[in-house]
């Protein structure tokens, strides 16, 4: 199935801002403030996870319809195993570097804890995703979701998407109520007695699964032709974008006040329970639904809207997601994500050894790091970027030699 360039561009966009957000400098840096998450409770990780689920549903949903459940399931699980090797490879590379580079143990301690290659218990915890070092926590959840994806995609392409959606909402609710703690807390206590630190993870799998599997549902329904996007997102149907704008406008002041500590404690105590990023709490869910719906309407319908301003907004958004650099890195998003983790660790080490840097230097480093994201993508498309002269077919060459001899 031909990839949609705009989807690749969106994934590339999320990767760029993931890089900017993950670079850590002493004293912080200003460039990271130029970000949509300063005005909404929507972040790049959410978009990246959703887009990954969307493409999984589209690609493997089409595969199931064409080749059957078993063929698609085997492809999905093979992909999950490939990603597992990537996840473990990052760990091994960073831990090997930690053994070699001076002072790296202190510089990376907050991200790796006491992890080292001589601790089999910690390595086992990492291998089973119970201990996830900083910035190495998206791939594990993605792999786990991929293991469940085949049966859910099958349900969607066979018309049972509503059951999948209801199940995702119920599991999300279980995550908000902390029901997973019935298992994770005793397990963490047991691990703490042996491993000192216990379970370490930035994402509540029960909460964040709704992001991935909502993408799977939409992608699967697109593959099976269940959804007619032109009818749902039509230029004259403006209820969805109006509602989305209202929700985003309501939360924008709250986002600014929480970011700068302006929200009174009496309100923050209650608001904070609804705005837990690790659980993908209700505040994040509402903002994500609103922003994703608005972007979908702008990309699909707004170009034919009667308002020139709306058409211009749609044109700007389409142009942004059509940038060749974003589409390039988006086509190889998972490899680029792995590469970005290594860059982030390298920059943190450099900052710890020879920093702190000036604001101008930090900005230059950040821009350079963004440009480095293209390297894995260029390597994977090296035949396109660096075409080599093709050797003539053996039969043609042989015929040419025969002709030459006969002519002589």
């Amino acid at each position: 199935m031909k990839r949609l360039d705009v989807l690749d561009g969106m994934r590339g966009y999320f990767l760029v801002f993931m890089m900017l957000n993950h670079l850590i400098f002493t004293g912080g840096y200003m460039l990271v403030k130029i970000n949509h998450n300063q005005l909404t409770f929507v972040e790049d990780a959410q978009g990246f996870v959703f887009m990954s689920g969307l493409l999984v549903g589209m690609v493997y949903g089409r595969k199931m319809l064409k080749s059957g459940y078993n063929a698609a399931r085997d492809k999905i699980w093979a992909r999950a195993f490939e990603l597992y090797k990537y996840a473990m490879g990052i760990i091994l590379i960073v831990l090997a570097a930690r053994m070699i580079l001076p002072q790296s143990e202190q510089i990376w301690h907050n991200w790796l804890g006491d992890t080292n290659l001589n601790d089999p218990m910690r390595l086992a915890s990492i291998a089973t995703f119970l201990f996830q070092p900083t910035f190495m926590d998206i791939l594990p959840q993605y792999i786990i979701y991929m293991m469940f994806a085949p049966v859910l995609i099958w349900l969607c392409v066979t018309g049972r998407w509503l059951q999948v959606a209801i199940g995702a909402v119920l599991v999300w609710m279980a995550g908000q109520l902390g029901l997973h703690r019935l298992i994770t807390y005793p397990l963490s206590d047991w691990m703490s007695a042996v491993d000192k630190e216990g379970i370490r993870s930035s994402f509540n799998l029960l909460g964040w699964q709704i992001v991935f599997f909502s993408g799977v549902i939409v992608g699967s329904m697109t593959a099976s032709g269940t959804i007619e996007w032109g009818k749902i997102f039509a230029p004259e149907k403006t209820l969805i974008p109006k509602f989305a704008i209202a929700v985003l406008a309501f939360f924008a002041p709250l986002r600014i006040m929480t970011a700068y500590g302006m929200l009174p404690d009496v309100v923050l105590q209650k608001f904070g329970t609804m705005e837990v990023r690790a659980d993908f709490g209700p505040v994040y869910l509402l903002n994500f639904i609103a922003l994703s719906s608005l972007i979908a309407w702008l990309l699909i319908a707004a170009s034919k809207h009667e308002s020139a301003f709306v058409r211009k907004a749609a044109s700007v958004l389409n142009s942004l997601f059509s940038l060749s650099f974003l589409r390039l890195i988006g086509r190889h998003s998972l490899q680029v994500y792995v590469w970005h983790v290594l860059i982030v660790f390298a920059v943190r080490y450099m900052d710890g050894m020879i920093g702190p840097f000036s604001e101008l230097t930090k900005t230059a480093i950040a821009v350079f790091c963004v440009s480095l994201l293209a390297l894995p993508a260029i390597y994977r498309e090296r035949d396109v970027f660096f075409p080599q002269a093709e050797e003539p077919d053996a039969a043609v060459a042989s015929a040419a030699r025969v002709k030459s001899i006969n002519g002589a």
Side-chain angles (χ1 to χ4, degrees), residues 135-260:
F135 303 132
M136 301 183 191
D137 40 23
I138 286 185
L139 280 183
Q141 69 162 318
Y142 185 68
I143 293 166
I144 293 171
Y145 297 154
M146 290 280 280
M147 299 305 295
F148 292 95
V151 66
L152 300 182
I153 293 174
W154 178 249
L155 290 173
C156 290
V157 298
T158 53
R160 290 167 285 183
W161 64 269
L162 184 58
Q163 291 92 318
V164 177
I166 292 172
V169 172
L170 292 176
V171 172
W172 175 82
M173 290 171 58
Q176 305 312 302
L177 297 173
L179 299 184
H180 58 288
R181 296 183 179 185
L182 295 172
I183 298 174
T184 59
Y185 272 41
L187 179 59
S188 185
D189 290 340
W190 174 79
M191 289 177 58
S192 298
V194 181
D195 194 20
K196 298 180 182 179
E197 198 160 346
I199 292 178
R200 172 173 168 168
S201 175
S202 299
F203 299 99
N204 176 349
L205 293 178
L206 300 188
W208 276 75
Q209 56 78 31
I210 200 169
V211 182
F212 183 84
F213 288 118
S214 62
V216 168
I217 292 170
V218 172
S220 300
M221 294 175 70
T222 302
S224 61
T226 306
I227 295 181
E228 293 187 45
W229 292 111
K231 292 184 177 180
I232 296 176
F233 297 106
E236 67 277 5
K237 295 181 178 179
T238 58
L239 178 61
I240 289 177
K242 287 178 179 177
F243 177 78
I245 291 172
V247 171
L248 295 171
F250 173 80
F251 279 105
L254 294 171
R255 176 67 187 94
I256 295 171
M257 286 190 285
T258 54
Y260 293 96

Side-chain angles (χ1 to χ4, degrees), residues 45 50 56-57 88 103 117 149 183 214 260 269 285 298 315 323 326 342 384 393:
F50 175 79
V56 166
M88 295 302 103
Q103 300 184 39
L117 292 174
I183 298 174
S214 62
Y260 293 96
Q269 289 174 5
L285 180 60
L298 286 171
S315 175
L323 291 174
L326 298 183
L342 298 178
V384 176
D393 183 84

Side-chain angles (χ1 to χ4, degrees), residues 358-387:
S358 67
E359 189 64 40
L360 181 61
T361 303
K362 293 175 184 177
T363 300
I365 292 173
V367 172
F368 179 66
C369 288
V370 168
S371 70
L372 290 179
L373 291 176
L375 292 183
I378 292 174
Y379 175 76
R380 288 173 62 84
E381 295 189 16
R382 57 191 179 278
D383 292 339
V384 176
F385 285 94
F386 310 104

Side-chain angles (χ1 to χ4, degrees), residues 94 108 111-112 134-136 341-349:
V94 171
W108 291 339
W111 294 358
L112 297 173
T134 302
F135 303 132
M136 301 183 191
V341 173
L342 298 178
I343 295 174
V344 168
F345 270 80
V347 170
R348 178 69 188 96
Y349 179 76

